[in-house]
Amino acid sequence: MSQTVDRALSILPLLAQGPADLGQVAERLGVHKSTALRLLRTLHEHGLVYRQEDQRYRLGARLFALAQEAVENLDVREIAHSHLVALNDRCGHTVHLAVYEEQEVLYIDKVESRYPVRMYSRIGKPVAITVAAVAKLLLADLTEPERCVIAEKLDYPMYTSRSTPNAAAFLKELAVVREQGWATDLGGHEESINCIGAPIRGADGRVVAAMSVSAPNVVVTAEELLTLLPLVRRTAETISREYSGTTRPKKA
């Protein structure tokens, strides 16, 4: 990176801490005021910094607009997919990625199990919202009033004897999921299928997606599947860091 670009970019995190005058910018960069002024003028022309009436500089509105646009165009599926495949390579079980949209939880990616017994889930298909681990993770991140409204509107089909029976039980489970940071579906949708999941978070800490590992009892017991929880959570944390920009993706 050229020295000029490096210096210009170094101004942005400085101004993120609050407005600064020309002297403060020059001192932080270790350059003459004329150099700092030239860099600030360039950033100002592009809307990345703004000069206030008191002659101090702050971050410009254009920078916030670019940041918002970047967030809106992030494709969590594209970022997560290689990590889901790597997780599948290690454990061999079905791996899902899901999001909450338009009052539904939808699968947006799936890596098939390498075992002969497979799940019938498909990308684009809504999940059983009152029992699925990914649904619990996504809804648990909502505010308490939002959770209450949604819980009261849902139906509670008893898929199995372990299904969530009513709104009160669902809200109680969401509170537990919110506190512990992971979720399970141990035979709640299908008696023979168990699932564990973890949240994927954006830069603001909010849950943007949820991932899970599922397997039938004939392949692995619920207790054995739960031993994979640390691995699942580490994978979700890795995706979260890459999605939020706190770590750089590895080069291909």
Side-chain angles (χ1 to χ4, degrees), residues 1-67:
M1 182 183 296
S2 74
Q3 188 178 50
T4 300
V5 174
D6 183 61
R7 284 173 173 169
L9 293 177
S10 297
I11 292 173
L12 300 180
L14 167 62
L15 298 185
Q17 298 172 22
D21 60 29
L22 179 60
Q24 291 171 314
V25 173
E27 182 180 358
R28 175 64 67 89
L29 297 181
V31 300
H32 193 273
K33 285 186 178 180
S34 61
T35 301
L37 181 59
R38 186 171 63 252
L39 295 171
L40 285 165
R41 282 175 172 169
T42 299
L43 292 172
H44 183 270
E45 288 172 2
H46 289 276
L48 302 182
V49 305
Y50 176 79
R51 189 173 67 177
Q52 303 176 158
E53 290 185 1
D54 62 4
Q55 305 306 307
R56 292 190 302 165
Y57 293 85
R58 63 169 171 78
L59 294 180
R62 177 61 178 158
L63 186 63
F64 296 106
L66 288 172

Side-chain angles (χ1 to χ4, degrees), residues 92-141:
H93 306 308
T94 301
V95 182
H96 287 111
L97 181 69
V99 295
Y100 180 58
E101 289 185 357
E102 302 295 333
Q103 308 298 311
E104 290 185 322
V105 176
L106 306 169
Y107 288 129
I108 60 171
D109 202 0
K110 177 184 180 181
V111 184
E112 290 281 7
S113 167
R114 64 169 173 253
Y115 296 99
V117 181
R118 297 190 174 186
M119 297 181 63
Y120 291 107
S121 56
R122 337 185 272 278
I123 295 174
K125 180 181 179 182
V127 309
I129 198 168
T130 59
V131 292
V134 289
K136 295 171 189 176
L137 288 161
L138 291 161
L139 297 184
D141 190 60

Side-chain angles (χ1 to χ4, degrees), residues 78-220:
E78 181 179 351
I79 292 170
H81 185 73
S82 63
H83 299 289
L84 304 183
V85 171
L87 177 59
N88 172 267
D89 287 341
R90 290 193 63 178
C91 70
H93 306 308
T94 301
V95 182
H96 287 111
L97 181 69
V99 295
Y100 180 58
E101 289 185 357
E102 302 295 333
Q103 308 298 311
E104 290 185 322
V105 176
L106 306 169
Y107 288 129
I108 60 171
D109 202 0
K110 177 184 180 181
V111 184
E112 290 281 7
S113 167
R114 64 169 173 253
Y115 296 99
V117 181
R118 297 190 174 186
M119 297 181 63
Y120 291 107
S121 56
R122 337 185 272 278
I123 295 174
K125 180 181 179 182
V127 309
I129 198 168
T130 59
V131 292
V134 289
K136 295 171 189 176
L137 288 161
L138 291 161
L139 297 184
D141 190 60
L142 301 176
T143 65
E144 185 175 0
E146 289 174 324
R147 297 198 302 271
C148 290
V149 169
I150 291 172
E152 292 299 332
K153 290 181 178 179
L154 292 174
D155 294 323
Y156 293 87
M158 294 300 294
Y159 302 104
T160 76
S161 60
R162 297 180 182 179
S163 298
T164 307
N166 52 51
F170 191 50
L171 288 170
K172 184 177 180 179
E173 187 161 8
L174 292 184
V176 172
V177 169
R178 186 181 179 92
E179 176 67 24
Q180 68 189 12
W182 51 274
T184 63
D185 169 15
L186 304 180
H189 188 216
E190 296 181 56
E191 289 280 4
S192 62
I193 302 291
N194 297 306
C195 177
I196 55 176
I200 295 169
R201 300 180 184 274
D204 60 358
R206 298 299 303 274
V207 175
V208 296
M211 57 168 292
S212 65
V213 170
S214 304
N217 287 328
V218 294
V219 173
V220 63

